């Protein structure tokens, strides 16, 4: 393979480097070209610099306070062809002159081979995580702080967990499992190390996590593949070994003491450790976490269903799908709202049934490029609210559909998640080229993939605004310039029909990858308190639900 400059082959090879898809053949051909063509080297460096800046700075495209985005992004989100950048050196320089000073400073073009390392080109886009554990299970958990604490399945980075009441199980990436009972404070240090400043904990340490350690103000406890309990009070730590062996080191005397199954020790601030018998009954509540968690899940499911019965009677609720009431045909999805007779049921195409937020209930999984739910909503509206529970498995497409009208008829809406985790909705107006895109900051971040998340968007034509919500909290607002009426007509969950679009564009493929557990469409703008109530009543872990008549 031989590459010339300028040429489409050069454009394709550089794009492949930027996106980590470069082949060995392209690497060899690019190396040969860059060694011998100074103009190609300059262009190559310039494009990599532009790619790096665009990949690392979301503000170049989106501001949550405005609807301003780069024109190519607007066209792609709407489904129009992306603008093709000029492939000649002069055209690129005219379009992005602001990068010339940076590109000129890269005076190492004489050795071009390193430039072709895909990792060098895409390092800014590599996903990373500092998490050392995850929250695996809870029962009656109440966390300190205004944010309500971590959600089930959430990755946990080093830092403090402060549990005011209830039980919570933390699974460290080393394999160690620690159950804490509130009130308690546990600081995560690493996958093999934690600090308990107060409270009661049990730890189960499998062989692969041997050496797992928990420090307290009175000493250190190192496990060698066992089960033990700790109770930390002011000036005192009790260690109880229920299985295997641990080593304790007192802060008072700094000597090691080996404790075996059935034994224990009391460490105090100023006294040498003294031995005691292990008392499993004192930690019985922690060993009952699984049973308590299952009972709590059943209660939460019953609470959600009761809240849903009230919600179904809301006259503004056009559609409510709960995905556990599919008809025997398995492809008819009932609309259980009081308005269901007006909008009708939906049709499931492809898709599979999977696990929902709670055991014993189903959710709909979107796995294949064909998977979708087809529905029809007649009428014209001054305002709409869309809300759903989703578990995003991956943002496989540049644009990942949530709920989208067919085609681009005036008044239609396209709600989706961008590949970088930005929520976006396109509202199409009357006349050619008249549309508006409202976007949030990146909110579907790495730590939310695989977790159940509540998403909502309010399109309020009367107040002239679009508001995005995640887990009951507002995450972005945009002034709305496209006037009502808004129309849904034929539309899809989890996919998109490009009806009326004459061109071909890879951005047309925008199927959702993940699961959906509830979907609501209202013909009015819900307020922030109502959005938060939808989230609170539907969240899979515990939150007190105020009784409403």
């Amino acid at each position: 393979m031989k590459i010339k400059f300028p040429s489409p082959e050069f454009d394709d090879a550089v794009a492949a480097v930027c996106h980590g898809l470069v082949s060995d053949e392209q690497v060899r051909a690019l190396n040969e070209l860059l060694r011998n063509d100074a103009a190609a080297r300059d262009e190559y460096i310039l494009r990599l610099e532009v790619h790096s800046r665009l990949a690392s700075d979301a503000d170049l495209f989106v501001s949550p306070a405005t609807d301003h985005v780069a024109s190519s992004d607007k066209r792609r989100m709407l489904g129009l062809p992306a603008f093709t950048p000029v492939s000649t050196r002069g055209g690129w320089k005219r379009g992005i002159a602001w990068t010339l000073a940076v590109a000129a400073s890269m005076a190492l073009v004489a050795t071009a081979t390193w430039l072709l390392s895909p990792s060098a080109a895409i390092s800014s886009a590599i996903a990373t995580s500092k998490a050392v554990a995850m929250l695996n299970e809870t029962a009656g958990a109440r966390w300190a702080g205004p944010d309500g604490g971590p959600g089930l399945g959430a990755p946990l980075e080093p830092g403090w967990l402060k549990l005011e009441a209830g039980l919570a199980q933390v699974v460290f990436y080393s394999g160690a499992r620690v159950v804490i009972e509130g009130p308690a404070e546990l600081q995560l240090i690493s996958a093999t190390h934690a600090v308990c400043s107060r409270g009661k904990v049990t730890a189960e340490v499998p062989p692969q996590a041997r050496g797992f350690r928990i420090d307290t103000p009175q000493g250190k406890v190192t496990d060698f593949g066992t089960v033990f309990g700790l109770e930390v009070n002011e000036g005192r730590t009790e260690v109880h070994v229920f299985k295997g062996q641990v080593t304790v080191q007192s802060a008072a005397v700094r000597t090691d003491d080996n404790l075996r199954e059935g034994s224990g020790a009391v460490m105090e601030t100023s006294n040498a450790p003294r031995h005691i018998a292990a008392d499993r009954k004192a930690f019985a509540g922690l060993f009952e976490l699984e049973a308590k968690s299952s009972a709590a899940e059943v209660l939460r499911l019953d609470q959600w269903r009761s809240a849903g019965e009230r919600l179904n009677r809301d006259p503004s609720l056009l559609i409510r799908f709960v995905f556990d009431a599919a008809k025997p045909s398995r492809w008819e999805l009932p609309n259980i709202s009081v308005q269901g007779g007006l909008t009708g049921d939906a049709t499931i195409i492809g898709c599979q049934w999977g696990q929902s937020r709670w055991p014993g209930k189903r959710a709909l999984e979107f796995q294949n490029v064909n998977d979708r739910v087809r529905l029809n909503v007649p009428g014209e509206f001054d305002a709409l609210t869309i809300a759903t529970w989703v578990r995003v498995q991956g943002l496989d497409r540049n644009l990942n559909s949530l709920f989208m009208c067919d085609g681009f008829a005036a008044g239609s809406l396209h709600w989706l998640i961008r590949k970088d985790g930005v929520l976006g909705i396109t509202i199409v107006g009357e006349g050619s080229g008249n549309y508006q895109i409202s976007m949030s900051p990146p909110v579907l971040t790495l730590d939310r993939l695989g977790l159940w998340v509540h998403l909502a968007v309010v399109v309020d034509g009367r107040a002239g605004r679009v508001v995005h919500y995640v887990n009951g909290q507002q995450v972005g607002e945009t002034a709305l310039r496209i006037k009502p009426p808004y129309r849904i007509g034929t539309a899809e969950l989890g996919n998109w029909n490009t009806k009326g679009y004459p061109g071909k564009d890879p951005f047309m493929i925008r199927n959702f990858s993940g699961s959906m557990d509830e979907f609501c469409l209202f013909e009015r703008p819900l307020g922030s308190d109502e959005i938060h109530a939808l989230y609170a009543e539907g969240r899979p872990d515990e939150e007190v639900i105020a009784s409403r008549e």
Side-chain angles (χ1 to χ4, degrees):
M1 178 180 184
K2 192 172 183 65
I3 296 178
K4 296 182 180 180
F5 175 78
S7 70
E9 291 77 13
F10 176 83
D11 298 338
D12 292 343
V14 176
V17 170
C18 290
H19 295 285
L21 302 175
V22 65
S23 67
D24 292 341
E25 187 179 21
Q26 286 175 312
V27 167
R28 288 191 292 270
L30 269 177
N31 274 330
E32 181 65 26
L33 173 66
L34 299 181
R35 287 191 188 99
N36 300 295
D37 189 330
R41 286 199 301 270
D42 290 346
E43 179 67 11
Y44 179 83
I45 293 169
L46 188 60
R47 295 194 188 188
L48 258 65
E49 175 65 13
V50 171
H51 174 82
S52 177
R53 282 177 173 260
L54 297 185
S56 62
D57 190 354
D59 290 339
L60 292 174
F61 290 102
V62 56
S63 170
T66 70
D67 67 342
H68 174 70
V69 293
S71 58
S72 61
D73 267 22
K74 282 187 175 182
R75 296 174 66 83
R76 286 173 176 172
M77 182 167 281
L78 185 61
L80 301 175
F83 292 116
T84 302
V86 180
S87 62
T88 64
R89 182 182 175 194
W92 267 75
K93 286 186 176 180
R94 285 191 298 272
I96 45 176
W98 57 271
T99 64
L100 284 175
V102 176
S105 69
M106 300 174 66
L108 24 77
V109 294
T111 55
T113 302
W114 72 271
L115 293 171
L116 296 179
S117 165
S119 61
I122 65 169
S123 59
S124 62
I126 293 175
T128 61
S129 174
K130 296 179 181 178
V132 298
M134 65 173 287
L135 183 63
N136 179 251
E137 209 164 4
T138 63
R142 188 174 75 248
W143 301 93
D147 59 357
L152 280 177
L156 303 174
E157 296 186 355
W160 284 98
L161 293 175
K162 297 183 179 182
L163 184 65
E164 291 185 341
L167 302 173
Q169 180 172 258
V170 176
V171 179
F172 287 78
Y173 288 172
S174 62
R177 293 173 177 263
V178 174
V179 177
I180 59 178
E181 181 179 32
E185 295 184 1
L186 186 74
Q187 183 183 17
L188 311 184
I189 304 298
S190 71
T192 59
H193 186 196
V195 174
C196 180
S197 63
R198 71 175 179 129
K200 191 181 289 187
V201 306
T202 59
E204 182 177 354
V205 182
Q208 59 267 33
R210 181 182 174 93
F212 180 80
R213 191 179 105 200
I214 298 181
D215 297 347
T216 78
Q218 287 74 44
K220 302 174 182 178
V221 181
T222 304
D223 189 284
F224 292 96
T226 185
V227 179
F228 69 93
L230 284 177
E231 185 170 6
V232 183
N233 298 312
E234 187 175 352
R236 175 189 173 99
T237 295
E238 288 188 14
V239 184
H240 298 252
V241 183
F242 306 119
K243 182 179 178 181
Q245 175 184 333
V246 304
T247 295
V248 298
Q249 184 184 76
S250 169
V253 297
R254 298 192 179 278
T255 57
D256 291 349
D257 191 4
N258 293 326
L259 301 178
R260 298 186 180 275
E261 183 174 333
S263 65
V266 176
M267 294 187 292
E268 296 176 320
T269 303
S270 57
N271 298 319
R274 56 185 175 86
H275 287 191
I276 60 173
D279 183 5
R280 190 179 182 91
K281 292 181 180 179
F283 295 85
L286 282 73
F287 288 110
E288 295 169 359
L289 170 63
E290 186 173 351
K292 291 181 178 180
S293 178
S294 297
E297 288 173 338
V298 172
L299 176 61
R300 289 290 297 114
L301 179 56
D302 288 344
Q303 290 174 327
W304 170 73
R305 284 182 168 147
S306 296
E309 291 176 2
R310 296 193 300 271
L311 182 63
N312 291 340
R313 296 193 292 268
D314 185 332
S316 71
L317 180 63
L318 296 171
I319 290 177
R320 185 165 182 253
F321 301 134
V322 294
F323 301 105
D324 67 344
K327 294 183 178 178
S329 67
R330 292 178 54 85
W331 54 266
E332 290 181 313
L333 185 63
N335 177 8
I336 63 174
S337 77
V338 71
Q339 296 271 45
L342 300 177
T343 58
D345 297 338
T347 300
I348 300 171
I349 301 171
C351 303
Q352 301 293 324
W353 291 107
Q355 178 61 53
S356 82
R357 291 165 282 171
W358 298 285
K361 182 189 173 299
R362 297 184 299 181
L364 199 61
E365 293 183 352
F366 297 79
Q367 301 175 350
N368 193 282
V369 70
N370 304 309
D371 292 349
R372 63 194 70 208
V373 173
R374 296 280 290 172
L375 61 148
N376 185 70
V377 183
E380 297 184 344
F381 311 97
D382 291 335
L384 291 164
T385 297
I386 316 169
T388 185
W389 278 95
V390 294
R391 180 170 59 192
V392 181
Q393 294 301 114
L395 298 175
D396 305 334
R397 311 296 180 191
N398 288 283
L399 304 174
N400 304 266
S401 173
L402 290 170
F403 177 60
M404 302 181 73
C405 302
D406 284 2
F408 300 101
S412 61
L413 310 174
H414 300 158
W415 189 35
L416 51 82
I417 310 171
R418 221 167 60 173
K419 190 171 186 176
D420 56 1
V422 167
L423 292 173
I425 188 165
T426 299
I427 303 101
V428 182
E430 297 281 356
S432 177
N434 184 21
Y435 61 90
Q436 179 179 358
I437 301 170
S438 170
M439 291 188 287
S440 76
V443 289
L444 269 297
T445 47
L446 179 66
D447 60 339
R448 280 181 163 146
L449 297 185
L451 303 181
W452 285 107
V453 180
H454 187 257
L455 305 178
V457 63
V458 176
V459 178
D460 189 348
R462 293 188 289 269
R465 65 177 193 152
V466 177
V467 188
H468 296 275
Y469 295 86
V470 176
N471 286 344
Q473 300 297 317
Q474 181 175 326
V475 295
E477 181 174 338
T478 301
L480 177 59
R481 58 175 178 79
I482 302 295
K483 303 297 183 184
Y486 310 115
R487 308 174 182 92
I488 303 296
T490 307
E492 292 186 348
L493 300 179
N495 222 311
W496 185 44
N497 188 314
T498 61
K499 177 183 177 182
Y501 182 74
K504 295 180 180 180
D505 190 320
F507 287 93
M508 296 296 105
I509 300 175
R510 54 189 64 182
N511 60 291
F512 174 67
S513 177
S515 302
M516 189 173 289
D517 196 15
E518 185 177 5
F519 177 85
C520 296
L521 176 67
F522 299 83
E523 59 176 334
R524 66 179 177 89
L526 266 63
S528 295
D529 56 341
E530 294 177 293
I531 297 290
H532 186 268
L534 289 179
Y535 162 68
E537 290 166 347
R539 59 181 289 175
D541 48 346
E542 297 90 351
E543 179 170 296
V544 176
I545 299 177
S547 176
R548 296 200 307 270
E549 297 300 329

